Amino acid sequence: MNGSLTNRLLALASLLTLILFLASCNNNPGNPLEGVVANTCGNVSGIEGMYWDLSNGFPRGDIPGGVPTIKVVGGSFVHPAFPLLGFIFPSGYQAFADMTQGATGVNVIRNDNQSIWRMTQFSFPGQTVQSGPIMDFELSQLMNFLGTNINNMQVICVSQGVGPAGELAPGLVRDFTNLMIRVGEFTAVVVVNVTSLQGFDVGFSSVSIAVSASPTVQFETEIMDTYLPIAFQMIFNDRGELDSDGDGVPDSRDLCPNTPPGTPVDANGCPI
């Protein structure tokens, strides 16, 4: 059955927190963030610091200009398997579905291959996986994309931990590793969240991954013009909060994304 339990904690950590931000958003574009240190990492400030906070689930009400939007539309993306999963992206970019087996996601890549926004999800039925090895793999893939060497990587901010995720469902454990790095001329934020079912005969792990990377001198501009505007669209559309699989449960509360059409589901979006 397609739609085994996959993780939406990334939406809760780096995207759903935007909902909290909207409730208190300051729409004054003259509210600069220069010098404002991140709440979750003392090594970054300004727009970078705001983005790091949002990526770690810390609500911010001071995004310059309010609701982030695409300034110059370059095209639109619709996932071939889940047509409700779609968004517009800026000029100079292309969007591609993540065709890795078992993945549901998208890579948005600038035409010069110098900037990427990536979000994808995997499920591992019957397995318990950890965020650390997945982070290592994502970093390796990112280094290959950027054409640089991981030995030159400098960790600017790190957030990681393991703990119960009882707010989602009993027996779930959350394992996360989030990094902001600089490597060569590039800055990147990589977020890996794993939710595992433990203490039952049949277990599973669900993984959500988000990657944002560009040249350091352009990173704050890309945050405002590309990364945040796309992320916002991933939780809202013109009908309200996004429901990618059309099962009637918004993505932010859907514990079983990608449910096949017509499948009866419970309040958590899981097949009955």
Side-chain angles (χ1 to χ4, degrees), residues 170-183:
L172 292 181
V173 175
R174 180 191 179 205
D175 172 10
F176 64 95
T177 301
N178 305 334
L179 295 177
M180 176 181 281
I181 62 171
R182 302 204 201 281
V183 55

Side-chain angles (χ1 to χ4, degrees), residues 221-232:
T221 298
E222 291 298 326
I223 288 171
M224 297 304 301
D225 293 350
T226 304
Y227 309 148
L228 281 182
I230 295 176
F232 177 77

Side-chain angles (χ1 to χ4, degrees), residues 39-60:
N39 292 277
T40 55
C41 176
N43 296 330
V44 288
S45 61
I47 292 173
E48 283 189 349
M50 173 202 67
Y51 191 58
W52 174 253
D53 279 345
L54 292 173
S55 298
N56 284 275
F58 192 96
R60 294 284 296 260

Side-chain angles (χ1 to χ4, degrees), residues 47-109:
I47 292 173
E48 283 189 349
M50 173 202 67
Y51 191 58
W52 174 253
D53 279 345
L54 292 173
S55 298
N56 284 275
F58 192 96
R60 294 284 296 260
D62 54 355
I63 297 181
V67 177
T69 58
I70 301 294
K71 293 181 174 62
V72 181
V73 176
S76 60
F77 169 80
V78 177
H79 195 283
F82 302 96
L84 294 178
L85 177 58
F87 53 85
I88 61 173
F89 54 84
S91 177
Y93 278 81
Q94 297 295 324
F96 308 92
D98 186 348
M99 302 307 294
T100 307
Q101 184 176 2
T104 302
V106 59
N107 297 313
V108 184
I109 300 173

Side-chain angles (χ1 to χ4, degrees), residues 41-197:
C41 176
N43 296 330
V44 288
S45 61
I47 292 173
E48 283 189 349
M50 173 202 67
Y51 191 58
W52 174 253
D53 279 345
L54 292 173
S55 298
N56 284 275
F58 192 96
R60 294 284 296 260
D62 54 355
I63 297 181
V67 177
T69 58
I70 301 294
K71 293 181 174 62
V72 181
V73 176
S76 60
F77 169 80
V78 177
H79 195 283
F82 302 96
L84 294 178
L85 177 58
F87 53 85
I88 61 173
F89 54 84
S91 177
Y93 278 81
Q94 297 295 324
F96 308 92
D98 186 348
M99 302 307 294
T100 307
Q101 184 176 2
T104 302
V106 59
N107 297 313
V108 184
I109 300 173
R110 205 165 71 187
N111 292 342
D112 63 0
N113 288 331
Q114 296 288 290
S115 177
I116 182 171
W117 183 90
R118 163 174 165 79
M119 177 176 289
T120 195
Q121 300 178 348
F122 294 87
S123 61
F124 296 88
Q127 300 182 50
T128 299
V129 300
Q130 297 177 327
S131 64
I134 296 172
M135 173 63 76
D136 291 341
F137 177 79
E138 285 296 315
L139 289 175
S140 175
Q141 295 293 102
L142 181 61
M143 297 305 117
N144 289 336
F145 174 80
L146 298 176
T148 188
N149 193 315
I150 197 168
N151 293 330
N152 300 323
M153 186 180 77
Q154 177 187 7
V155 176
I156 306 301
C157 297
V158 58
S159 176
Q160 57 188 160
V162 179
E167 75 278 7
L168 297 179
L172 292 181
V173 175
R174 180 191 179 205
D175 172 10
F176 64 95
T177 301
N178 305 334
L179 295 177
M180 176 181 281
I181 62 171
R182 302 204 201 281
V183 55
E185 300 177 353
F186 296 91
T187 293
V189 171
V190 185
V191 175
V192 176
N193 278 282
V194 178
T195 301
S196 299
L197 179 64

